[in-house]
Amino acid sequence: MDQVRLYEPGSTHVVGDGFHVRNLFPSNEIDRAVSPFLMLDYAGPTFYPATDQPRGVGEHPHRGFETVTIVYQGRVAHRDSAGNSGVIGPGDVQWMTAASGVVHEERHERDWAKQGGTLQAVQLWVNLPAADKMMAPRYQTLVCEAIPVVPLEGGAGSVRVIAGEFGRAKGPATTVTPMQLLDLRLLAQHRAALTFAAGWNVALFVLSGQVAVNGSEPVTEAQLAVVPSSGVPILLEAQADSMLLVMAGEPIDEPIARYGPFVMNRQDELAQAVNDYRAGKMGHLD
Ligand code: MN
């Protein structure tokens, strides 16, 4: 069986004033082991009291990668300088390809904020290869109903296929490099064997429950298991009803240069990104 490494959140912070997050990477400094994925923030579950001023994060840019937002509880509204906007709620996913650059804001949806409630969401950053970092921005709203659900063998649970293939299903997300993104539910005292392509990196984030991965100690809430796949099935054994986000993908074997909301390959490209943002080349919100 492939070797598993387990991680706790490496940092906590607040994004704007609306997303209290625990970060799994890059704070754990495992870039190579989780490529093509760049960042995993777990927001909540956090209760926010009712307000007329929706919390969130105001206008900010991104370049060189994709942001994927998965909502489990609550409602998040988004709008960007490419003219896209939308609201995602429980089960929905927003897949934004920032690529050459967008400016956007992410907030609690106004009517939801007026009621108050619990927010639980994940934001995942997916890298783009050098050749695609400057492609045109793209925006995909993947509503819950469009995400196929595949039952696991033996009544062990189910998998929602957000991206890539699982069983006979194919997720609705269009991705730039080969990957799978799966929302997996595994029932207590059940097991599942998941097979991924040899050479891919696999990261399993536990939102709730307790799961052994390839015989590991139990992986629990907000912990991450990372496995380099050799094509041998990865064995999950749940000791409690569990909910996992499974990220698997072909690594992008290129240098990474980061500066805040920009992720490129070289320092000079980061300087260019800052200049282009300041010059308004990534646009503005209306
Ligand atoms: Mn953002």
Side-chain angles (χ1 to χ4, degrees):
M1 284 193 288
D2 292 313
Q3 181 77 35
V4 182
R5 299 200 66 160
L6 305 184
Y7 299 92
E8 305 273 348
S11 70
T12 63
H13 58 280
V14 189
V15 181
D17 66 355
F19 303 97
H20 290 72
V21 304
R22 289 176 271 183
N23 179 270
L24 278 300
F25 53 85
S27 58
N28 276 302
E29 299 182 10
I30 49 175
D31 280 2
R32 293 187 71 84
V34 295
S35 175
F37 307 104
L38 290 169
M39 192 210 74
L40 178 64
D41 268 350
Y42 180 39
T46 305
F47 178 79
Y48 296 97
T51 176
D52 289 332
Q53 305 292 323
R55 291 166 170 261
V57 53
E59 185 167 333
H60 63 279
H62 292 291
R63 172 181 279 181
F65 60 98
E66 305 180 284
T67 68
V68 179
T69 308
I70 304 160
V71 173
Y72 296 89
Q73 298 184 67
R75 291 176 73 76
V76 176
H78 159 272
R79 63 191 184 105
D80 70 33
S81 54
N84 299 302
S85 64
V87 176
I88 53 172
D92 299 336
V93 176
Q94 180 211 82
W95 198 298
M96 187 188 78
T97 307
S100 62
V102 298
V103 168
H104 74 162
E105 68 170 7
E106 301 157 277
R107 294 195 176 280
H108 300 179
E109 191 266 329
R110 183 166 292 279
D111 287 338
W112 181 82
K114 275 184 185 166
Q115 310 267 316
T118 298
L119 184 79
Q120 183 183 25
V122 163
Q123 188 165 87
L124 175 69
W125 290 7
V126 179
N127 204 2
L128 293 170
D132 297 300
K133 281 186 178 292
M134 294 300 283
M135 67 185 268
R138 176 165 83 190
Y139 178 82
Q140 305 172 68
T141 298
L142 313 171
V143 296
C144 190
E145 298 73 41
I147 298 173
V149 183
V150 178
L152 290 167
E153 277 178 36
S158 62
V159 174
R160 293 200 321 132
V161 187
I162 299 166
E165 294 179 12
F166 185 85
R168 294 201 180 115
K170 188 175 185 320
T174 298
T175 68
V176 175
T177 59
M179 72 189 69
Q180 286 161 280
L181 186 62
L182 311 172
D183 172 4
L184 185 148
R185 316 293 163 115
L186 191 59
L187 296 170
Q189 315 311 327
H190 285 73
R191 50 171 58 195
L194 309 180
T195 306
F196 301 96
W200 281 25
N201 289 324
V202 182
L204 306 106
F205 179 66
V206 176
L207 287 99
S208 60
Q210 194 166 311
V211 186
V213 180
N214 280 355
S216 72
E217 63 185 277
V219 188
T220 61
E221 198 236 341
Q223 294 181 337
L224 183 77
V226 176
V227 186
S229 172
S230 65
V232 174
I234 295 173
L235 180 62
L236 307 183
E237 299 168 283
Q239 286 96 31
D241 287 356
S242 299
M243 185 159 77
L244 290 85
L245 181 66
V246 181
M247 297 149 274
E250 182 179 277
I252 297 173
D253 189 18
E254 295 174 349
I256 293 173
R258 298 175 187 253
Y259 179 71
F262 308 124
V263 184
M264 305 299 288
N265 302 107
R266 303 189 313 264
Q267 291 297 321
D268 64 300
E269 294 170 325
L270 292 176
Q272 186 68 50
V274 171
N275 287 341
D276 286 352
Y277 170 57
R278 288 184 182 152
K281 291 183 182 171
M282 298 181 191
H284 292 287
L285 295 180
D286 294 331

